[in-house]
Amino acid sequence: MAHTLRRIPTLLARSLANNASKNCRIQTRTCFATAIQHTLDKIDSKRTRALEGGGKRRTDAQHARGKLTARERINLLVDPGSFVEFDMFAEHRCSDFGMDSDEKRHPGDGVVTGHGLINGRVTYVFSQDFTVHGGTLSSAHAKKICKIMDHALNTGARCGLKIQEGLGYRKGLSPSLRNVMASGVIPRFHSSWDLVLIILFFLLPGGAVYSPALTDFTFMIKDTSYLFITGPDVVKAVTQEDVTHEQLGELKRTRLSRTWSFENDIDGLTKLRELFSYLPLSNRDPAPIVQSDDPANRLVPVLDHIVPFESIKPYDMLDVIHAIVDNRSFFEIMPAYAKNIVIGFARMNGRTVGIVGNQPKVASGCLDINSSVKGARFVRFCDAFNIPLITFVDVPGFLPGTSQEYGGIIRHGAKLLYAYSEATVPKITVITRKAYGGAYDVMSSKHIGGDINYTWPTAEVAVMGAQGAVKIIFRGESDIAQAEQEYIEKFANPFPAAVRGFVDDIIQPSTTRVRLCRDLDLLSTKKKENPTKKHANMPL
Amino acid sequence: MAVRGCSSSLTRGFHRNLLMAKVVPYLSAGHSKARLYSIYTTTTFDPNEEKFDKILIANRGEIACRVMKTCREMGIKSVAIYSEADAQSLHVEMADEAVCVGPPPTGESYNKMENVMKAIKQTGAQAVHPGYGFLSENKDFAKMLEQEGVAFIGPDTLALQAMGDKIESKQLANNAKVNTIPGYDGVLKDEEEAVKMANQIGYPVMLKASAGGGGKGMRIAWNDAETREGFRLSTDEAASSFGDSRLLIEKFIDNPRHIEIQVLCDRHGNSLYLNERECSIQRRNQKVIEEAPSTFIDPDTRRAMGEQAVALANAVDYVSAGTVEFLVDSQRNFYFLEMNTRLQVEHPITECITGVDIVQEMIRIAKGHPLKLKQSDIPINGWSVECRVYAENPYKNFGLPSVGRLYRYQEPSYLPNVRVDSGIREGSEISIYYDSMISKLITYGKDRPEALQKMSRALDEYVIKGVKHNISLLQDVLGHEKFISGDISTNFLPEHYPDGFKGYQLQEDEKSNLLAVACCVHLKQEQKSRAFLNQTSLMPSVPRLSQASFVIISDGVHHKATINETAFGYEIHVGDSNIMVDKNWSLSQNIITPQVNHTPQVMQLVNQNASGDVTLQYKGTEYSMKVITAEASRLQSLMPEKVAADLSGEVQAPMPGKLHAIQVQVGQQVGEGQEVCVVEAMKMLNSMHAGKSGKVKKIFFKVGDNVSEEEVILEID
């Protein structure tokens, strides 16, 4: 492809020269032809230089580190041959610190922008080039990004995608650039609900880290991705603390912060394409439906056996999810963080759904600060992009204890409650086992607007577990064991909820897929709008 | 009996009722089908004959289900017992009644006599069928039943005692003029004596538990050091498995065949032999593939073996079904090995060729009826083969147990002449507590080639997802020329797979076919990924993806391929070959049957996703491939190799299990290959050795802890 591009100016030159020869005198003709030739040569050489990025030496170094260049990344991300580039000739206009030498000016200015197709759908993309000025921002660089974003919005707020890698702001640049970026770009991310995905490849210190923090999904690559506010040198200068890049922002942090990790660039980009296929490219599109070959009426016998009879025994909620969704394909989000809640995308009869499930395997599936926030953010994302929500409930309650209380479990738990209450997309809930107390309420219950709520026969919808409840109700009394048995018979089953209409039906687990697929079709015409307001005041 | 651990009787009962609604029609359908095409052509069943009303089956899994099937045929009610881990098992649902006998460990449930006795009393069962394993050869249990007036469907206590003891049984065999193996007729006191006796008999020797069976507590030693290690491990294993740590020693016959004779004896002095079973294909002394009859046995030898087997049975007044095991050397000399006083795992192959329902005969005999059959009634009809399908990884030591939940499970029992004896179904969990056998796959035909060919097809169409399984090994053995020619011995696996089993080795054209199919799978996936039905951002100018260039990575090799979709199928060019594949299969099928160059192939689509991972199962072996674009392949080659961490300093659990012993302490110096700990899984003790010399840095577990697969037990610096 690069070869063809380079040939175009030469062909153009010939045809222009031919035209000129017909209309002009020989003298002028020669001058004109020379000038044209010069311009065309310049186009040619600039284009070649732009395509080369930072040159062979830097490119090789990038490869040796297990990383790709900006253009290689784009080529892998979009369907082969579909990328169209903008602003290949943009250059920075900075003159301080010797930045104005020809050497230091680089066509494209360290960022590749344009549009392409991902699985046939239009996508706008920019990718920062670490081999050119370390991927740092200049005003030309920033303007390129703004331009591509404007395009994305003007053509229907289609998906924007960033591939980011850089050392921050380029030396000698005016700090006002930061404002350009902030006022021109960042608010757009959230004010327009434009979907922005980031793949982050390397060092990303300073203000630039807020950019991934403001986006919906962040990918990181093992061993090569780092994310922190201030680099080791600054940390040393300010706090005298000796730290390395790894310690500050290594991938193990993904357990603490909320990103993904992948083996290498190729793996990450392939997965990114997969994630894309689940999402509408803007909030004006419905959740995508693709042709499905997994029958919607497939019975799933395995579901009849996953939940153990003993309510204290753990099981893996992922077993339930994998069995129900199309072709066992579940794209889990943040699998390493707050593992007591599982979130991710899947398809039901071809239609994208967002799945939230308590994970009884980890910390009994209780809700704590981190899992509440993880769940809340996902629920809000799905709601913003018209993706129906399916919630699998097996929750013994909120995690008790001082650390949770001091950390603000009430406020954070409220985020999940708020997110579910606010969501207007179809909401279907399946209670697989425990649904206790306030946590039951929060998990897309009927009380906060669940559209269809089911329980399995193993469900226990109650204020709390028998043991705990009996200890409180019958404090000081002798026949605790009998009281506990009575409590179990009364409340540790689906009937209390079913007779009150808090669940719509008690279903055989193996029929869950059939029911959910039918309900999703039914709810596809759901119309519900929240009252008009400037914005709601969610418990941040 | 307290229903321990079941959250509430109400929930449980409710759940079961719901489940039964689905299961009952399924079972009755299978039941009537079994009647229509019954293999029991020789057995004559008289419905008017007096019979038990209710039988308790003191076992679990496939054998419990097997016995219940015959109970149903005979119109006898069945009672299942189950541990808490088995509460949702098939055998529990199949039974008319079920009683929980305790927590998952066998010592606290299936092997706990008091609990089983309570269940018998509670349900009023008149007889107990013990199946195999557990209490089947326990004389105390048989005695207890006798005292309670409950019939034990098996031999009398006397025979159990005599044959259960390897030393006594050998003496009995000698007296009954049955050929026996040279060895030491006594119990070994300690390691020193073991070494002394081993040297007297001459290496190789076999150490085995006096009370043992099924390969447990059994070890072969080729030198003094191995004798010592074997003595220690076998003693422990025997103690934990049978509660009896006595060991004996005998000459180990190299390269023998394992051939056994099924006998049936009633209380009226009638004894029959139901011909032989060839069980030579074994791994670690556990049978894997069995067939009946044997290719090696001529009619004279068969009669001689049969008569000796019957003579031995008569010597102990044996009653019920039993099996006399022989080792047969290359000269067709046979030596008595042991007598199994129970129903054998591999009894179905005998049933297939003789038409006798052995379980039915056992029940009739226990009720006191005489055998109606005479020796001359016992035919050899055709050929039958059995494969034991295990949940295990055959690439590690020919099979290390694997646990998990069967999220897809489909038995090939819909094929003609295929019988599947199993106690599980889709959704069942293979747990660490019990044997890892998934099922017994049995096929039969008019002759051996037909039975083998049916077996191969059945294995191809057996869908097992969720655990690792040994179908690849079974399939490979079945296709091995030595096996096909019948040239086998108990050393078959180590002899023909000296470096361990590595999976089916593909021919060049098979390899290209697989690459081509993988290519089709990925193209179908890519087409599916862009088949959006409701998106506004689609570009109408973009044509359908009908041709592509891919690179398929298989075993680290990049294969370039082009694929072109036509109206009739796919044309793939890979390597030097042009391959045509048809379109009549889909990605959601478990078993795909693509026509490759107009030849139908049976494959399973094990795994496949949008990232280009494609795993196909072909001839039982799984082949993982990755299909990527040409550009991705070019860039992949530029990426540096990530160096795998050196793990020789870590001792990892090879499978999930329990830590049985730790022989070292933190700070202790160990040598490479030294035994550092022992992991017990599925009642087998596995000794773990240091991967390098050094000092023990840290021990992460203590004895008795459960460890999961690949968990680091200790670190060596």
Side-chain angles (χ1 to χ4, degrees):
Chain A
M1 190 164 142
H3 179 67
T4 333
L5 281 178
R6 246 176 273 131
R7 275 175 59 92
I8 291 169
T10 327
L11 293 170
L12 198 64
R14 274 198 208 119
S15 86
L16 283 176
N18 283 344
N19 282 341
S21 71
K22 282 176 196 157
N23 303 327
C24 305
R25 280 183 298 156
I26 290 171
Q27 184 82 38
T28 330
R29 216 183 295 156
T30 324
C31 278
F32 182 62
T34 318
I36 283 283
Q37 194 56 49
H38 179 70
T39 311
L40 293 176
D41 285 349
K42 202 169 168 190
I43 293 173
D44 216 2
S45 80
K46 289 252 180 199
R47 201 183 286 279
T48 311
R49 207 174 152 212
L51 289 171
E52 272 174 358
K56 187 162 174 356
R57 189 176 54 83
R58 289 204 182 89
T59 305
D60 288 347
Q62 186 83 343
H63 288 158
R65 274 186 237 118
K67 301 192 297 169
L68 301 176
T69 66
R71 263 200 184 71
E72 287 166 344
R73 284 170 181 160
I74 290 179
N75 284 341
L76 277 188
L77 178 71
V78 300
D79 298 343
S82 70
F83 182 62
V84 178
E85 186 171 346
F86 283 6
D87 290 336
M88 193 187 253
F89 301 102
E91 286 174 14
H92 76 76
R93 293 176 301 284
C94 180
S95 56
D96 300 333
F97 303 110
M99 290 295 285
D100 55 348
S101 69
D102 226 22
E103 178 85 352
K104 299 270 181 188
R105 284 186 203 276
H106 201 285
D109 205 37
V111 64
V112 182
T113 62
H115 59 82
L117 300 175
I118 295 183
N119 285 325
R121 294 191 298 174
V122 182
T123 306
Y124 287 86
V125 55
F126 73 85
S127 174
Q128 289 176 317
D129 195 345
F130 190 72
T131 61
V132 179
H133 303 303
T136 48
L137 283 166
S138 72
S139 75
H141 182 127
K143 276 182 182 152
K144 279 180 75 170
I145 296 173
C146 293
K147 190 196 245 182
I148 211 79
M149 288 185 165
D150 286 341
H151 258 278
L153 284 171
N154 295 342
T155 54
R158 283 169 185 165
C159 194
L161 185 121
K162 302 173 69 171
I163 299 177
Q164 205 170 348
E165 172 176 26
L167 293 162
Y169 302 99
R170 202 168 300 165
K171 58 186 170 182
L173 284 178
S174 123
S176 66
L177 260 177
R178 190 186 298 248
N179 299 331
V180 173
M181 282 301 287
S183 66
V185 184
I186 295 172
R188 248 175 229 169
F189 287 12
H190 59 143
S191 64
S192 67
W193 278 116
D194 193 7
L195 172 57
V196 176
L197 294 139
I198 282 208
I199 203 162
L200 175 72
F201 285 94
F202 198 56
L203 289 165
L204 200 60
V209 299
Y210 285 116
S211 171
L214 283 169
T215 57
D216 296 303
F217 300 105
T218 307
F219 282 52
M220 289 173 87
I221 305 299
K222 270 182 199 159
D223 307 329
T224 55
S225 292
Y226 302 98
L227 188 62
F228 41 76
I229 286 275
T230 45
D233 293 344
V234 181
V235 172
K236 171 87 177 158
V238 177
T239 67
Q240 305 301 315
E241 185 187 354
D242 267 316
V243 289
T244 61
H245 282 150
E246 288 80 3
Q247 285 167 329
L248 266 179
E250 72 163 327
L251 259 170
K252 279 178 189 155
R253 299 291 117 195
T254 51
R255 282 158 208 252
L256 306 173
S257 65
R258 295 165 291 141
T259 53
W260 264 298
S261 67
F262 295 100
E263 274 306 318
N264 58 28
D265 286 16
I266 299 168
D267 183 39
L269 287 161
T270 318
K271 280 280 183 278
L272 186 56
R273 275 178 69 92
E274 193 181 338
L275 174 61
F276 250 72
S277 69
Y278 286 101
L279 308 178
L281 295 190
S282 88
N283 60 337
R284 289 174 227 170
D285 268 352
I289 303 178
V290 298
Q291 273 166 10
S292 168
D293 48 13
D294 195 355
N297 59 357
R298 170 167 63 86
L299 285 179
V300 194
V302 66
L303 296 175
D304 288 337
H305 308 287
I306 291 179
V307 180
F309 285 150
E310 300 91 325
S311 63
I312 49 160
K313 243 177 110 178
Y315 61 95
D316 193 344
M317 190 57 91
L318 286 171
D319 283 349
V320 174
I321 296 170
H322 283 138
I324 289 178
V325 302
D326 287 2
N327 298 76
R328 298 184 64 79
S329 295
F330 177 59
F331 197 99
E332 192 177 348
I333 313 275
M334 289 191 248
Y337 175 78
K339 291 181 188 174
N340 41 350
I341 200 164
V342 175
I343 56 171
F345 297 106
R347 292 196 175 89
M348 294 291 282
N349 199 20
R351 185 196 306 272
T352 296
V353 291
I355 290 182
V356 180
N358 305 112
Q359 174 58 288
K361 214 177 75 170
V362 181
S364 307
C366 70
L367 285 179
D368 57 11
I369 292 174
N370 290 345
S371 60
S372 300
V373 174
K374 176 179 166 184
R377 194 157 158 73
F378 182 71
V379 168
R380 298 198 87 209
F381 177 84
C382 289
D383 186 44
F385 290 97
N386 315 316
I387 299 171
L389 282 161
I390 296 178
T391 309
F392 293 100
V393 184
D394 186 347
V395 65
F398 281 100
L399 183 66
T402 48
S403 74
Q404 289 287 313
E405 295 289 359
Y406 297 166
I409 180 69
I410 299 175
R411 180 163 44 91
H412 293 295
K415 287 179 184 170
L416 187 56
L417 178 71
Y418 185 94
Y420 267 120
S421 308
E422 183 194 44
T424 56
V425 290
K427 291 178 281 190
I428 307 176
T429 311
V430 180
I431 302 174
T432 59
R433 194 168 60 180
K434 279 175 267 190
Y436 288 162
Y440 150 69
D441 207 46
V442 165
M443 294 299 292
S444 193
S445 65
K446 206 73 174 172
H447 319 283
I448 60 167
D451 291 305
I452 295 176
N453 296 55
Y454 293 122
T455 70
W456 285 359
T458 38
E460 304 169 16
V461 185
V463 169
M464 60 200 295
Q467 221 177 5
V470 168
K471 263 189 202 147
I472 296 167
I473 304 170
F474 299 97
R475 185 170 294 162
E477 288 185 28
S478 56
D479 205 1
I480 290 286
Q482 199 212 321
E484 195 178 320
Q485 198 54 41
E486 199 180 327
Y487 187 95
I488 288 173
E489 304 236 325
K490 270 220 167 78
F491 300 112
N493 61 66
F495 289 116
V499 295
R500 287 167 180 80
F502 297 161
V503 296
D504 300 297
D505 200 358
I506 304 171
I507 59 170
Q508 172 81 20
S510 55
T511 63
T512 309
R513 174 173 164 85
V514 187
R515 304 287 291 245
L516 293 183
C517 285
R518 201 190 294 156
D519 293 335
L520 285 166
D521 283 346
L522 189 75
L523 291 171
S524 62
T525 52
K526 178 184 174 185
K527 285 258 180 305
K528 186 171 180 254
E529 271 179 27
N530 289 332
T532 314
K533 55 195 142 188
K534 189 173 173 197
H535 63 70
N537 187 14
M538 78 171 300
L540 289 172
Chain B
M1 165 114 348
V3 187
R4 279 185 52 189
C6 302
S7 62
S8 83
S9 53
L10 189 132
T11 316
R12 204 189 109 65
F14 187 73
H15 198 82
R16 251 194 95 190
N17 287 341
L18 270 173
L19 299 178
M20 284 307 272
K22 185 177 61 67
V23 171
V24 169
Y26 155 72
L27 285 173
S28 53
H31 181 61
S32 60
K33 195 177 159 199
R35 271 238 153 119
L36 275 173
Y37 309 104
S38 177
I39 57 163
Y40 301 123
T41 47
T42 309
T43 295
T44 50
F45 173 56
D46 175 8
N48 300 318
E49 200 174 70
E50 202 188 334
K51 62 187 184 227
F52 295 114
D53 296 328
K54 198 189 264 186
I55 293 177
L56 181 137
I57 294 103
N59 215 304
R60 63 181 297 282
E62 67 89 14
I63 197 63
C65 296
R66 160 71 190 91
V67 175
M68 283 176 206
K69 268 179 202 153
T70 289
C71 288
R72 280 174 178 235
E73 291 273 337
M74 297 174 75
I76 298 172
K77 286 203 186 85
S78 54
V79 181
I81 59 167
Y82 62 95
S83 72
E84 282 160 16
D86 279 341
Q88 305 187 55
S89 299
L90 189 58
H91 79 277
V92 175
E93 273 166 31
M94 252 185 100
D96 296 298
E97 287 174 62
V99 183
C100 182
V101 288
T106 53
E108 295 166 50
S109 51
Y110 296 105
N111 267 338
K112 192 157 182 164
M113 283 184 262
E114 304 91 82
N115 292 6
V116 178
M117 287 309 296
K118 265 192 230 168
I120 295 166
K121 281 184 206 158
Q122 188 187 320
T123 56
Q126 296 161 335
V128 172
H129 197 300
Y132 52 74
F134 297 133
L135 300 170
S136 63
E137 290 173 287
N138 188 315
K139 57 181 187 296
D140 299 329
F141 181 62
K143 215 172 273 169
M144 222 185 250
L145 289 174
E146 207 175 313
Q147 281 161 7
E148 295 292 333
V150 177
F152 179 70
I153 304 176
D156 294 338
T157 32
L158 203 71
L160 278 175
Q161 170 149 10
M163 290 301 159
D165 191 319
K166 293 223 164 80
I167 296 158
E168 202 181 331
S169 69
K170 203 169 170 184
Q171 281 157 359
L172 267 164
N174 275 328
N175 297 344
K177 309 236 174 327
V178 176
N179 315 342
T180 56
I181 305 173
Y184 167 60
D185 297 335
V187 177
L188 296 173
K189 281 201 294 290
D190 51 27
E191 281 180 36
E192 291 317 309
E193 194 186 2
V195 170
K196 200 178 108 200
M197 293 320 301
N199 284 306
Q200 257 180 37
I201 299 167
Y203 284 106
V205 294
M206 157 105 69
L207 288 149
K208 54 185 189 178
S210 179
K216 282 160 192 168
M218 208 183 258
R219 268 179 176 78
I220 297 157
W222 295 78
N223 54 45
D224 289 0
E226 283 181 19
T227 308
R228 281 174 214 279
E229 186 184 327
F231 182 86
R232 216 158 9 86
L233 288 173
S234 287
T235 308
D236 287 359
E237 218 169 271
S240 78
S241 292
F242 315 111
D244 176 354
S245 62
R246 291 177 306 150
L247 292 188
L248 50 143
I249 192 167
E250 65 188 18
K251 173 93 182 161
F252 172 65
I253 296 174
D254 208 5
N255 261 348
R257 282 167 181 261
H258 177 120
I259 296 174
E260 60 190 26
I261 302 281
Q262 174 76 53
V263 295
L264 264 183
C265 310
D266 65 13
R267 291 192 185 283
H268 305 272
N270 304 314
S271 313
L272 298 174
Y273 61 88
L274 303 184
N275 304 318
E276 79 280 5
R277 291 187 287 255
E278 160 87 73
C279 312
S280 296
I281 307 292
Q282 306 185 341
R283 56 123 172 74
R284 300 191 306 271
N285 290 312
Q286 273 188 313
K287 297 161 190 167
V288 181
I289 298 176
E290 299 107 336
E291 60 182 309
S294 164
T295 52
F296 191 60
I297 299 297
D298 52 45
D300 290 340
T301 317
R302 179 172 300 130
R303 193 175 330 108
M305 288 173 81
E307 279 164 7
Q308 284 201 10
V310 166
L312 179 67
N314 288 339
V316 287
D317 292 328
Y318 195 84
V319 165
S320 194
T323 300
V324 181
E325 297 190 339
F326 292 100
L327 284 184
V328 183
D329 69 13
S330 52
Q331 307 307 307
R332 289 198 179 80
N333 296 315
F334 55 91
Y335 306 97
F336 168 70
L337 198 61
E338 61 182 13
M339 179 165 186
N340 294 317
T341 52
R342 54 171 156 88
L343 186 64
Q344 292 275 91
V345 177
E346 59 275 22
H347 74 276
I349 48 173
T350 299
E351 296 190 329
C352 287
I353 59 157
T354 59
V356 177
D357 183 343
I358 297 174
V359 174
Q360 195 180 100
E361 296 301 337
M362 286 176 84
I363 295 173
R364 286 187 62 247
I365 292 166
K367 187 68 190 165
H369 298 301
L371 285 167
K372 288 183 189 163
L373 304 169
K374 285 192 260 323
Q375 189 62 52
S376 55
D377 296 334
I378 307 300
I380 298 184
N381 296 327
W383 212 280
S384 183
V385 188
E386 174 183 282
C387 284
R388 296 195 192 182
V389 181
Y390 284 104
E392 60 184 24
N393 178 0
Y395 304 108
K396 284 193 205 166
N397 203 6
F398 298 115
L400 277 190
S402 157
V403 295
R405 189 181 295 283
L406 295 161
Y407 63 81
R408 281 283 152 78
Y409 181 74
Q410 185 184 313
E411 292 173 352
S413 43
Y414 50 85
L415 295 172
N417 288 16
V418 173
R419 165 175 169 178
V420 185
D421 278 20
S422 70
I424 51 152
R425 59 189 155 185
E426 192 161 303
S428 294
E429 191 169 10
I430 309 283
S431 72
I432 57 163
Y433 300 110
Y434 311 111
D435 191 75
S436 56
M437 194 166 77
I438 296 173
S439 77
K440 304 182 307 204
L441 180 59
I442 304 120
T443 61
Y444 44 99
K446 62 178 191 303
D447 52 22
R448 192 168 186 260
E450 191 185 312
L452 291 181
Q453 182 255 323
K454 285 203 155 55
M455 178 59 81
S456 179
R457 176 77 195 214
L459 287 171
D460 269 344
E461 301 207 5
Y462 204 146
V463 180
I464 302 167
K465 293 186 189 174
V467 293
K468 295 189 181 94
H469 54 76
N470 66 336
I471 285 182
S472 51
L473 178 64
L474 296 170
Q475 195 67 286
D476 208 51
V477 172
L478 287 176
H480 200 284
E481 54 175 15
K482 291 281 184 192
F483 181 83
I484 292 170
S485 67
D487 181 10
I488 54 178
S489 77
T490 52
N491 291 339
F492 186 89
L493 293 179
E495 190 181 325
H496 297 296
Y497 304 94
D499 305 321
F501 179 58
K502 304 262 187 268
Y504 175 71
Q505 301 303 309
L506 293 169
Q507 309 289 325
E508 268 314 305
D509 57 328
E510 288 175 318
K511 184 152 199 176
S512 313
N513 289 353
L514 272 182
L515 294 175
V517 173
C519 216
C520 298
V521 167
H522 191 59
L523 184 72
K524 271 176 184 276
Q525 169 65 47
E526 285 282 287
Q527 288 173 341
K528 212 173 84 170
S529 297
R530 30 187 99 175
F532 293 103
L533 303 176
N534 65 342
Q535 295 291 287
T536 59
S537 51
L538 298 170
M539 298 274 272
S541 55
V542 178
R544 175 184 161 83
L545 183 73
S546 61
Q547 50 188 19
S549 304
F550 291 131
V551 169
I552 309 153
I553 309 174
S554 153
D555 287 332
V557 183
H558 291 228
H559 302 270
K560 278 191 183 140
T562 56
I563 180 164
N564 190 14
E565 186 190 31
T566 68
F568 312 102
Y570 306 99
E571 294 167 357
I572 302 105
H573 182 82
V574 57
D576 300 328
S577 35
N578 286 308
I579 297 166
M580 292 276 297
V581 179
D582 77 327
K583 276 181 171 177
N584 296 324
W585 47 281
S586 99
L587 298 185
S588 65
Q589 288 171 312
N590 289 324
I591 303 161
I592 56 173
T593 48
Q595 301 256 353
V596 181
N597 287 336
H598 309 292
T599 316
Q601 304 280 343
V602 183
M603 297 178 187
Q604 288 187 23
L605 194 51
V606 178
N607 179 35
Q608 168 268 324
N609 61 28
S611 303
D613 296 301
V614 179
T615 305
L616 290 168
Q617 182 179 317
Y618 176 68
K619 299 222 166 165
T621 299
E622 287 180 8
Y623 298 92
S624 292
M625 290 162 276
K626 191 162 178 90
V627 188
I628 54 176
T629 60
E631 177 73 354
S633 157
R634 185 183 70 83
L635 295 171
Q636 187 95 53
S637 60
L638 299 174
M639 297 282 101
E641 288 273 316
K642 289 203 176 179
V643 188
D646 175 22
L647 298 176
S648 66
E650 293 179 349
V651 175
Q652 293 183 347
M655 69 195 108
K658 204 164 94 177
L659 258 185
H660 180 78
I662 300 173
Q663 280 91 334
V664 293
Q665 280 144 18
V666 175
Q668 186 180 333
Q669 198 70 33
V670 292
E672 189 181 328
Q674 183 184 338
E675 182 184 290
V676 288
C677 60
V678 179
V679 175
E680 181 185 337
M682 283 143 179
K683 295 276 149 211
M684 296 287 289
L685 295 181
N686 300 275
S687 124
M688 312 297 313
H689 304 266
K692 63 171 190 184
S693 303
K695 209 179 247 171
V696 178
K697 190 175 160 197
K698 199 164 177 193
I699 300 174
F700 298 92
F701 295 93
K702 56 183 189 301
V703 172
D705 285 352
N706 283 322
V707 289
S708 44
E709 189 172 346
E710 289 182 359
E711 202 153 22
V712 180
I713 299 168
L714 52 85
E715 261 178 35
I716 297 161
D717 223 356

